[in-house]
Amino acid sequence: MSETVEVSLTFDDNRLASLVFGQYDQNVAHIERRLGITGTALGNHLVVKGTPEAAEKARRVFERLYARVQKGGTTLTLGDVDGVIQEVTVQGNLFPSAEIVADNGREQFEQIATRKRGGVRARNAAQSDYIKLLRANELVFAEGPAGTGKTWLAVGHAVSLLEQGHAERLILSRPAVEAGERLGFLPGDMREKVDPYLRPIYDALYDFMEARHVDRGLQTGIIEIAPLAFMRGRTLTNAVVLLDEAQNTTSMQMKMFLTRLGENSRMIITGDPSQIDLPPGQKSGLVEAVNVLDGVEGIGRVRFRDVDVVRHDLVRRIVTAYEAASHGEAEADRNPNPRRRPLA
Protein backbone atom coordinates (compact mmCIF):
# COMPACT_ATOMS: atom_id res chain seq x y z
CA MET A 1 0.00 0.00 0.00
CA SER A 2 1.18 3.53 -0.79
CA GLU A 3 2.25 5.79 2.04
CA THR A 4 -0.32 8.33 3.29
CA VAL A 5 0.66 11.62 4.90
CA GLU A 6 -1.33 14.36 6.61
CA VAL A 7 -0.78 18.07 5.93
CA SER A 8 -2.41 20.78 8.08
CA LEU A 9 -3.02 24.33 6.84
CA THR A 10 -4.27 27.31 8.83
CA PHE A 11 -5.16 30.57 7.08
CA ASP A 12 -5.12 33.94 8.86
CA ASP A 13 -8.46 35.27 7.58
CA ASN A 14 -11.62 33.21 8.05
CA ARG A 15 -13.49 35.10 5.32
CA LEU A 16 -10.75 34.55 2.74
CA ALA A 17 -10.43 30.92 3.79
CA SER A 18 -14.15 30.46 3.10
CA LEU A 19 -13.61 31.89 -0.42
CA VAL A 20 -10.81 29.38 -0.98
CA PHE A 21 -12.89 26.43 0.26
CA GLY A 22 -15.93 27.53 -1.77
CA GLN A 23 -19.64 27.37 -1.02
CA TYR A 24 -20.36 24.13 0.86
CA ASP A 25 -16.62 23.35 0.41
CA GLN A 26 -17.13 22.73 -3.32
CA ASN A 27 -13.57 23.82 -4.15
CA VAL A 28 -12.17 21.35 -1.60
CA ALA A 29 -14.29 18.57 -3.12
CA HIS A 30 -13.12 19.54 -6.62
CA ILE A 31 -9.46 19.40 -5.59
CA GLU A 32 -10.09 16.05 -3.88
CA ARG A 33 -11.32 14.61 -7.20
CA ARG A 34 -8.55 16.22 -9.25
CA LEU A 35 -5.59 15.26 -7.03
CA GLY A 36 -6.84 12.08 -5.37
CA ILE A 37 -6.62 13.42 -1.82
CA THR A 38 -9.10 13.92 1.02
CA GLY A 39 -9.59 17.34 2.56
CA THR A 40 -11.43 18.33 5.74
CA ALA A 41 -12.15 22.05 6.19
CA LEU A 42 -13.23 23.59 9.49
CA GLY A 43 -13.30 27.37 9.85
CA ASN A 44 -9.94 28.60 8.66
CA HIS A 45 -8.26 25.22 9.17
CA LEU A 46 -7.76 22.49 6.57
CA VAL A 47 -6.38 18.96 6.88
CA VAL A 48 -5.24 17.22 3.67
CA LYS A 49 -4.52 13.48 3.49
CA GLY A 50 -2.98 11.62 0.59
CA THR A 51 0.24 10.35 -0.91
CA PRO A 52 3.24 12.59 -0.17
CA GLU A 53 3.30 13.93 -3.73
CA ALA A 54 -0.47 14.56 -3.94
CA ALA A 55 -0.64 16.12 -0.46
CA GLU A 56 2.26 18.46 -1.25
CA LYS A 57 0.64 19.47 -4.54
CA ALA A 58 -2.67 20.11 -2.75
CA ARG A 59 -0.89 22.25 -0.17
CA ARG A 60 0.62 24.43 -2.91
CA VAL A 61 -2.76 24.68 -4.65
CA PHE A 62 -4.58 25.85 -1.51
CA GLU A 63 -1.79 28.32 -0.64
CA ARG A 64 -1.82 29.70 -4.20
CA LEU A 65 -5.61 30.07 -4.08
CA TYR A 66 -5.39 31.88 -0.75
CA ALA A 67 -2.77 34.27 -2.17
CA ARG A 68 -5.07 34.94 -5.12
CA VAL A 69 -8.12 35.82 -3.01
CA GLN A 70 -5.89 37.93 -0.74
CA LYS A 71 -4.95 39.97 -3.78
CA GLY A 72 -8.37 40.13 -5.44
CA GLY A 73 -10.86 39.28 -2.69
CA THR A 74 -13.28 37.74 -5.20
CA THR A 75 -15.08 34.41 -5.35
CA LEU A 76 -13.18 31.62 -7.08
CA THR A 77 -14.77 29.59 -9.84
CA LEU A 78 -14.03 25.93 -10.48
CA GLY A 79 -12.21 27.11 -13.61
CA ASP A 80 -9.93 29.25 -11.43
CA VAL A 81 -9.24 26.22 -9.25
CA ASP A 82 -8.41 24.09 -12.28
CA GLY A 83 -6.10 26.84 -13.52
CA VAL A 84 -4.14 26.87 -10.26
CA ILE A 85 -3.90 23.05 -10.29
CA GLN A 86 -2.48 23.21 -13.82
CA GLU A 87 -0.13 26.02 -12.79
CA VAL A 88 1.21 24.09 -9.80
CA THR A 89 1.58 20.95 -11.92
CA VAL A 90 3.61 22.78 -14.55
CA GLN A 91 5.72 24.44 -11.85
CA GLY A 92 6.40 21.03 -10.32
CA ASN A 93 7.57 19.73 -13.69
CA LEU A 94 9.89 22.69 -14.25
CA PHE A 95 11.54 23.06 -10.86
CA PRO A 96 12.94 20.65 -8.24
CA SER A 97 10.86 20.48 -5.06
CA ALA A 98 13.37 22.56 -3.06
CA GLU A 99 13.10 25.38 -5.58
CA ILE A 100 9.30 25.18 -5.55
CA VAL A 101 9.20 25.69 -1.80
CA ALA A 102 11.60 28.64 -2.08
CA ASP A 103 9.77 30.12 -5.04
CA ASN A 104 6.17 29.30 -4.16
CA GLY A 105 4.89 32.78 -5.01
CA ARG A 106 6.18 32.66 -8.54
CA GLU A 107 3.40 32.71 -11.14
CA GLN A 108 4.01 30.48 -14.13
CA PHE A 109 1.04 31.25 -16.37
CA GLU A 110 0.63 34.49 -18.32
CA GLN A 111 -2.28 36.87 -17.78
CA ILE A 112 -4.29 39.52 -19.63
CA ALA A 113 -5.30 42.69 -17.80
CA THR A 114 -8.22 44.96 -18.70
CA ARG A 115 -9.87 47.79 -16.77
CA LYS A 116 -13.13 45.95 -16.16
CA ARG A 117 -11.86 42.47 -15.25
CA GLY A 118 -8.41 43.26 -13.92
CA GLY A 119 -5.96 40.39 -14.40
CA VAL A 120 -7.27 37.27 -16.12
CA ARG A 121 -4.76 34.43 -15.79
CA ALA A 122 -4.39 31.53 -18.20
CA ARG A 123 -5.89 28.32 -16.86
CA ASN A 124 -3.53 25.88 -18.56
CA ALA A 125 -0.17 25.75 -20.32
CA ALA A 126 -1.74 26.02 -23.79
CA GLN A 127 -3.56 29.24 -22.88
CA SER A 128 -0.36 30.62 -21.35
CA ASP A 129 1.56 29.85 -24.56
CA TYR A 130 -1.26 31.48 -26.53
CA ILE A 131 -0.94 34.74 -24.56
CA LYS A 132 2.85 34.72 -25.05
CA LEU A 133 2.38 34.27 -28.81
CA LEU A 134 -0.18 37.08 -28.95
CA ARG A 135 2.36 39.44 -27.36
CA ALA A 136 5.29 38.35 -29.51
CA ASN A 137 3.80 38.00 -33.01
CA GLU A 138 1.96 40.19 -35.48
CA LEU A 139 -0.13 37.26 -36.71
CA VAL A 140 -1.33 34.34 -34.57
CA PHE A 141 -3.32 31.27 -35.57
CA ALA A 142 -5.26 29.50 -32.78
CA GLU A 143 -6.83 26.14 -33.59
CA GLY A 144 -8.77 23.82 -31.34
CA PRO A 145 -12.16 22.62 -30.09
CA ALA A 146 -14.91 24.71 -28.56
CA GLY A 147 -14.43 25.85 -24.98
CA THR A 148 -10.65 26.27 -25.01
CA GLY A 149 -10.79 30.08 -24.77
CA LYS A 150 -9.44 30.83 -28.27
CA THR A 151 -11.84 33.66 -29.06
CA TRP A 152 -12.32 34.86 -25.48
CA LEU A 153 -8.60 35.37 -24.83
CA ALA A 154 -8.12 36.92 -28.28
CA VAL A 155 -10.80 39.52 -27.51
CA GLY A 156 -9.28 40.15 -24.06
CA HIS A 157 -5.84 40.70 -25.59
CA ALA A 158 -7.31 43.01 -28.23
CA VAL A 159 -9.15 45.07 -25.59
CA SER A 160 -5.96 45.37 -23.50
CA LEU A 161 -4.03 46.69 -26.54
CA LEU A 162 -6.84 49.14 -27.22
CA GLU A 163 -6.88 50.41 -23.62
CA GLN A 164 -3.09 50.73 -23.48
CA GLY A 165 -3.01 52.81 -26.66
CA HIS A 166 -1.09 50.24 -28.71
CA ALA A 167 -3.97 50.10 -31.20
CA GLU A 168 -6.56 52.61 -32.37
CA ARG A 169 -9.26 50.23 -33.59
CA LEU A 170 -10.64 46.77 -32.98
CA ILE A 171 -11.94 45.07 -36.13
CA LEU A 172 -14.04 41.92 -35.76
CA SER A 173 -14.80 39.61 -38.66
CA ARG A 174 -16.31 36.20 -39.23
CA PRO A 175 -17.47 34.26 -42.31
CA ALA A 176 -21.26 34.19 -42.58
CA VAL A 177 -21.67 30.43 -42.90
CA GLU A 178 -24.59 28.65 -41.23
CA ALA A 179 -23.78 25.61 -39.08
CA GLY A 180 -25.89 23.07 -40.94
CA GLU A 181 -28.95 25.32 -41.17
CA ARG A 182 -30.41 27.52 -43.91
CA LEU A 183 -31.39 30.82 -42.31
CA GLY A 184 -32.40 32.60 -45.48
CA PHE A 185 -32.24 36.39 -45.75
CA LEU A 186 -31.89 38.24 -42.45
CA PRO A 187 -33.58 41.65 -41.98
CA GLY A 188 -31.86 44.93 -41.13
CA ASP A 189 -28.75 46.83 -42.12
CA MET A 190 -25.29 45.27 -42.55
CA ARG A 191 -24.49 45.23 -38.83
CA GLU A 192 -27.86 43.71 -37.93
CA LYS A 193 -27.41 41.00 -40.57
CA VAL A 194 -23.97 40.04 -39.27
CA ASP A 195 -24.71 40.39 -35.53
CA PRO A 196 -26.05 36.81 -35.07
CA TYR A 197 -22.82 35.38 -36.45
CA LEU A 198 -20.67 37.57 -34.17
CA ARG A 199 -22.62 37.04 -30.95
CA PRO A 200 -19.78 35.01 -29.29
CA ILE A 201 -17.40 37.92 -29.90
CA TYR A 202 -19.92 40.40 -28.48
CA ASP A 203 -20.25 38.23 -25.36
CA ALA A 204 -16.48 38.33 -24.90
CA LEU A 205 -16.40 42.10 -25.48
CA TYR A 206 -18.97 42.69 -22.75
CA ASP A 207 -16.91 40.44 -20.46
CA PHE A 208 -13.81 42.61 -20.86
CA MET A 209 -15.36 46.07 -21.37
CA GLU A 210 -18.14 48.07 -19.75
CA ALA A 211 -21.33 47.95 -21.85
CA ARG A 212 -21.32 51.74 -22.34
CA HIS A 213 -17.75 51.60 -23.67
CA VAL A 214 -18.65 48.82 -26.11
CA ASP A 215 -21.70 50.75 -27.36
CA ARG A 216 -19.70 53.97 -27.69
CA GLY A 217 -16.92 52.13 -29.53
CA LEU A 218 -19.40 50.68 -32.01
CA GLN A 219 -20.93 54.12 -32.62
CA THR A 220 -17.60 55.89 -33.13
CA GLY A 221 -15.96 53.17 -35.21
CA ILE A 222 -13.28 52.30 -32.64
CA ILE A 223 -14.91 48.86 -32.62
CA GLU A 224 -15.85 47.82 -36.14
CA ILE A 225 -17.88 44.88 -37.38
CA ALA A 226 -16.47 44.01 -40.79
CA PRO A 227 -18.07 41.11 -42.70
CA LEU A 228 -15.38 39.04 -44.35
CA ALA A 229 -16.94 39.52 -47.77
CA PHE A 230 -16.46 43.32 -47.47
CA MET A 231 -12.76 43.27 -46.52
CA ARG A 232 -11.36 43.23 -50.05
CA GLY A 233 -9.32 46.29 -51.03
CA ARG A 234 -8.80 47.54 -47.46
CA THR A 235 -5.49 48.10 -45.65
CA LEU A 236 -5.97 47.79 -41.89
CA THR A 237 -3.45 49.99 -40.03
CA ASN A 238 -3.09 50.68 -36.28
CA ALA A 239 -5.66 48.00 -35.54
CA VAL A 240 -6.20 44.65 -33.88
CA VAL A 241 -8.03 42.45 -36.38
CA LEU A 242 -9.79 39.28 -35.23
CA LEU A 243 -11.14 36.63 -37.60
CA ASP A 244 -13.26 34.05 -35.77
CA GLU A 245 -14.55 30.70 -37.09
CA ALA A 246 -11.81 30.83 -39.71
CA GLN A 247 -12.25 27.14 -40.56
CA ASN A 248 -15.22 28.27 -42.67
CA THR A 249 -13.18 30.55 -44.93
CA THR A 250 -12.28 29.46 -48.44
CA SER A 251 -8.67 29.53 -49.63
CA MET A 252 -9.35 32.72 -51.61
CA GLN A 253 -11.03 34.44 -48.65
CA MET A 254 -8.18 33.55 -46.28
CA LYS A 255 -5.49 34.85 -48.66
CA MET A 256 -7.49 38.05 -49.16
CA PHE A 257 -7.90 38.52 -45.40
CA LEU A 258 -4.25 37.87 -44.55
CA THR A 259 -3.08 40.48 -47.06
CA ARG A 260 -5.19 43.22 -45.40
CA LEU A 261 -2.61 43.55 -42.59
CA GLY A 262 -1.19 47.08 -42.46
CA GLU A 263 1.42 48.93 -40.40
CA ASN A 264 1.28 48.70 -36.60
CA SER A 265 -1.50 46.12 -36.73
CA ARG A 266 -2.01 42.72 -35.15
CA MET A 267 -4.09 39.91 -36.61
CA ILE A 268 -5.58 36.98 -34.68
CA ILE A 269 -7.21 34.07 -36.51
CA THR A 270 -9.16 31.44 -34.58
CA GLY A 271 -10.99 28.33 -35.68
CA ASP A 272 -11.80 24.68 -35.13
CA PRO A 273 -10.75 22.46 -38.08
CA SER A 274 -13.05 19.69 -36.79
CA GLN A 275 -16.16 21.86 -37.36
CA ILE A 276 -15.95 22.93 -41.00
CA ASP A 277 -19.34 23.94 -42.44
CA LEU A 278 -18.17 24.55 -46.02
CA PRO A 279 -19.78 22.60 -48.88
CA PRO A 280 -18.31 19.11 -49.39
CA GLY A 281 -15.09 19.12 -51.37
CA GLN A 282 -14.22 22.75 -50.61
CA LYS A 283 -10.86 23.24 -48.87
CA SER A 284 -10.75 25.22 -45.62
CA GLY A 285 -8.69 28.40 -45.85
CA LEU A 286 -7.56 27.95 -42.23
CA VAL A 287 -6.22 24.43 -42.78
CA GLU A 288 -4.39 25.52 -45.91
CA ALA A 289 -2.97 28.72 -44.38
CA VAL A 290 -1.41 27.09 -41.30
CA ASN A 291 0.37 24.60 -43.55
CA VAL A 292 1.54 27.14 -46.14
CA LEU A 293 2.72 29.67 -43.53
CA ASP A 294 4.36 27.18 -41.17
CA GLY A 295 7.73 28.57 -40.06
CA VAL A 296 7.24 32.08 -41.47
CA GLU A 297 8.83 34.70 -39.20
CA GLY A 298 6.38 36.83 -37.22
CA ILE A 299 3.61 34.22 -37.32
CA GLY A 300 2.66 32.21 -34.22
CA ARG A 301 0.50 29.12 -34.02
CA VAL A 302 -1.08 27.38 -31.04
CA ARG A 303 -3.06 24.15 -31.15
CA PHE A 304 -5.50 23.44 -28.33
CA ARG A 305 -6.61 19.90 -27.53
CA ASP A 306 -9.65 18.43 -25.80
CA VAL A 307 -7.76 18.40 -22.47
CA ASP A 308 -7.44 22.20 -22.76
CA VAL A 309 -11.22 22.80 -22.65
CA VAL A 310 -11.98 25.21 -19.79
CA ARG A 311 -15.62 26.12 -20.45
CA HIS A 312 -17.07 23.34 -18.30
CA ASP A 313 -15.70 19.94 -17.32
CA LEU A 314 -18.65 18.27 -19.06
CA VAL A 315 -17.78 20.11 -22.30
CA ARG A 316 -14.28 18.64 -22.11
CA ARG A 317 -15.72 15.15 -21.69
CA ILE A 318 -18.13 15.71 -24.60
CA VAL A 319 -15.30 16.86 -26.91
CA THR A 320 -13.18 13.87 -25.84
CA ALA A 321 -16.08 11.48 -26.53
CA TYR A 322 -16.63 12.89 -30.01
CA GLU A 323 -12.88 12.66 -30.73
CA ALA A 324 -12.87 9.02 -29.64
CA ALA A 325 -15.96 8.29 -31.73
CA SER A 326 -14.43 9.86 -34.85
CA HIS A 327 -11.30 7.73 -34.43
CA GLY A 328 -13.51 4.69 -33.96
CA GLU A 329 -15.34 5.41 -37.20
CA ALA A 330 -12.03 5.71 -39.02
CA GLU A 331 -11.02 2.31 -37.67
CA ALA A 332 -14.36 0.86 -38.74
CA ASP A 333 -13.81 2.15 -42.28
CA ARG A 334 -10.45 0.41 -42.41
CA ASN A 335 -11.70 -2.76 -40.69
CA PRO A 336 -15.25 -3.61 -41.82
CA ASN A 337 -17.29 -5.65 -39.35
CA PRO A 338 -16.58 -9.30 -40.25
CA ARG A 339 -19.93 -10.36 -38.81
CA ARG A 340 -21.87 -8.16 -41.24
CA ARG A 341 -23.79 -10.34 -43.68
CA PRO A 342 -24.14 -9.39 -47.35
CA LEU A 343 -27.55 -8.24 -48.49
CA ALA A 344 -29.67 -10.99 -50.02
Side-chain angles (χ1 to χ4, degrees), residues 151 155 172-187 189-204 225-229 242-248 270 277:
T151 303
V155 172
L172 310 172
S173 190
R174 183 174 176 172
V177 177
E178 295 97 343
E181 301 176 64
R182 309 302 297 177
L183 300 181
F185 293 101
L186 296 172
D189 58 21
M190 182 177 71
R191 178 182 159 188
E192 291 171 330
K193 290 177 185 293
V194 179
D195 271 0
Y197 298 101
L198 292 167
R199 182 49 51 189
I201 299 180
Y202 278 122
D203 292 342
I225 307 302
L228 184 58
L242 171 59
L243 175 63
D244 193 32
E245 298 291 339
Q247 76 275 5
N248 289 327
T270 67
D277 299 311

Side-chain angles (χ1 to χ4, degrees), residues 70-85:
Q70 263 188 322
K71 186 183 297 183
T74 57
T75 303
L76 296 167
T77 66
L78 293 181
D80 295 328
V81 175
D82 279 332
V84 171
I85 293 173

Side-chain angles (χ1 to χ4, degrees), residues 129-183:
D129 291 341
Y130 185 27
I131 295 173
K132 289 178 184 176
L133 288 173
L134 290 172
R135 290 173 179 161
N137 296 277
E138 295 171 299
L139 171 61
V140 174
F141 288 98
E143 307 161 76
T148 51
K150 305 183 304 295
T151 303
W152 196 76
L153 288 174
V155 172
H157 178 69
V159 169
S160 70
L161 291 179
L162 203 63
E163 292 179 345
Q164 294 165 20
H166 297 311
E168 297 175 358
R169 292 182 296 161
L170 172 54
I171 300 173
L172 310 172
S173 190
R174 183 174 176 172
V177 177
E178 295 97 343
E181 301 176 64
R182 309 302 297 177
L183 300 181

Side-chain angles (χ1 to χ4, degrees), residues 132-141 258 261 265-268 293-301:
K132 289 178 184 176
L133 288 173
L134 290 172
R135 290 173 179 161
N137 296 277
E138 295 171 299
L139 171 61
V140 174
F141 288 98
L258 290 171
L261 189 65
S265 286
R266 296 292 181 100
M267 190 172 278
I268 310 167
L293 300 176
D294 186 35
V296 174
E297 184 180 355
I299 298 178
R301 179 187 182 187

